[in-house]
Amino acid sequence: MRCATPAVRVRCLAFEPDEGLAVFTTRLTLTALDAADLDTLAARDLLAHLARRTGESGDGYALRDLLARTGVRHHLNPVQGAALERALAACALGSATLPDVLRNRLEGALGQAQEVLNGSPFDPARPEEICLGATSELRWAPDLSATAEPRT
């Protein structure tokens, strides 16, 4: 019979992920749950904590990993499972589409980048005109050969 040690459970419950670590902490806790008997109170507490934390994170990859575990998914209550499914759907992972609001923001940013690039003196057809580290005959090329005087 598999069982999670109390120390593992306590550490997983106490561990709150920093920004960008939702997938790691979800997978770490799922690994602890794999070693546990999911019918124990300790494992159910750990799963409830994981489901809450993952749902709050809104991280699509963490949500997908949590919901993909059949044994774990089976032990979620139906309301919680449905909420996690909705959160995952809102992330649009694998849908190959962006919500209109996000698509408009992305298109705006790309338009601004295009304007900057179009106003740039760099000619992509002539990359040899850029002379980094040496003085160039071209007015727009920076002179990077000068070194700063050491501070005393």
Side-chain angles (χ1 to χ4, degrees):
M1 172 183 244
R2 300 174 302 166
C3 68
T5 65
V8 169
R9 179 182 161 271
V10 168
R11 287 191 184 203
C12 285
L13 288 172
F15 189 72
E16 290 297 328
D18 290 330
E19 183 75 25
L21 293 176
V23 174
F24 171 77
T25 57
T26 297
R27 290 177 180 169
L28 179 67
T29 306
L30 285 170
T31 301
L33 288 169
D34 284 343
D37 178 358
L38 289 173
D39 291 322
T40 64
L41 179 60
R44 287 194 306 267
D45 286 348
L46 187 55
L47 178 56
H49 178 76
L50 174 63
R52 180 194 52 77
R53 184 178 67 203
T54 304
E56 288 173 357
S57 78
D59 187 292
Y61 296 103
L63 287 161
R64 181 183 64 190
D65 286 354
L66 174 63
L67 293 170
R69 293 284 175 99
T70 307
V72 170
R73 173 83 168 124
H74 175 73
H75 282 82
L76 291 172
N77 73 51
V79 172
Q80 194 175 38
L84 293 171
E85 288 285 351
R86 285 191 305 276
L88 179 59
C91 293
L93 267 185
S95 69
T97 62
L98 285 174
D100 288 340
V101 172
L102 296 178
R103 191 187 77 242
N104 292 338
R105 287 178 58 195
L106 178 61
E107 287 175 355
L110 290 172
Q112 288 176 339
Q114 185 65 44
E115 288 177 22
V116 169
L117 291 173
N118 288 342
S120 163
F122 173 69
D123 181 0
R126 299 179 52 133
E128 69 277 2
E129 290 181 356
I130 293 182
C131 300
L132 296 178
T135 304
S136 171
E137 298 287 325
L138 301 173
R139 287 180 290 166
W140 53 268
D143 181 2
L144 301 175
S145 61
T147 58
E149 301 261 339
R151 293 183 185 199
T152 56

